[in-house]
Amino acid sequence: MRDVLDSVFGLFVGTAYAQEAPEAWTETVTFTLEPGDTAEIKMTMEEGAVVDYAWTAAGGRVNFDLHAHSGGESIDYERGAGATDGEGSIEAPFAGDHGWFWRNRDSTPIEMTIQVRGDYSAIVETY
């Protein structure tokens, strides 16, 4: 009887852990942003799609604008100045390109790393 209880308990604990374990990042983009330079990283998403993200700016601070646009529609999700990291999720209110515009206002190069997972069809990078 004890073996059966241990097996059932193990099944519930294993299932709960599997539901809580985060999904692995599906894509990582890294690039160097020189002083004064800008870059855009965007994901092509359908309406209702959700993407999780995390980013870091190593070696300095960046200004950013997390936004989307397509077919005359646009939205600003978040803006920041002097930031070194960020994380969150985007739920697309319309189909189009959703992502960041970055600017290095520091006097040193910054190594950017952006990780994403979720429902997107492509990543578009413009440096």
Side-chain angles (χ1 to χ4, degrees), residues 3-124:
D3 289 339
V4 171
L5 290 175
D6 286 345
S7 295
V8 170
F9 180 73
L11 176 65
F12 284 118
V13 170
T15 301
Y17 178 75
Q19 290 174 351
E20 292 175 15
E23 183 182 330
W25 297 112
T26 55
E27 190 131 13
T28 300
V29 177
T30 43
F31 61 94
T32 300
L33 198 54
E34 296 294 333
D37 280 356
T38 63
E40 285 198 78
I41 306 295
K42 295 186 178 176
M43 297 147 303
T44 303
M45 300 170 64
E46 294 299 321
E47 182 177 345
V50 177
V51 168
D52 297 322
Y53 66 86
W55 63 266
T56 59
R61 298 165 299 147
V62 293
N63 294 353
F64 71 93
D65 177 4
L66 176 56
H67 65 280
H69 53 81
S70 180
E73 295 185 278
S74 66
I75 185 170
D76 282 329
Y77 294 110
E78 180 182 11
R79 291 175 184 245
T84 58
D85 62 14
E87 65 180 281
S89 63
I90 300 169
E91 182 173 349
F94 54 84
D97 291 330
H98 302 256
W100 301 266
F101 172 82
W102 308 96
R103 183 181 306 271
N104 179 354
R105 293 286 193 192
D106 277 356
S107 59
T108 59
I110 297 172
E111 182 74 19
M112 297 295 301
T113 303
I114 303 145
Q115 297 175 299
V116 296
R117 64 178 164 231
D119 192 16
Y120 61 95
S121 60
I123 290 188
V124 180

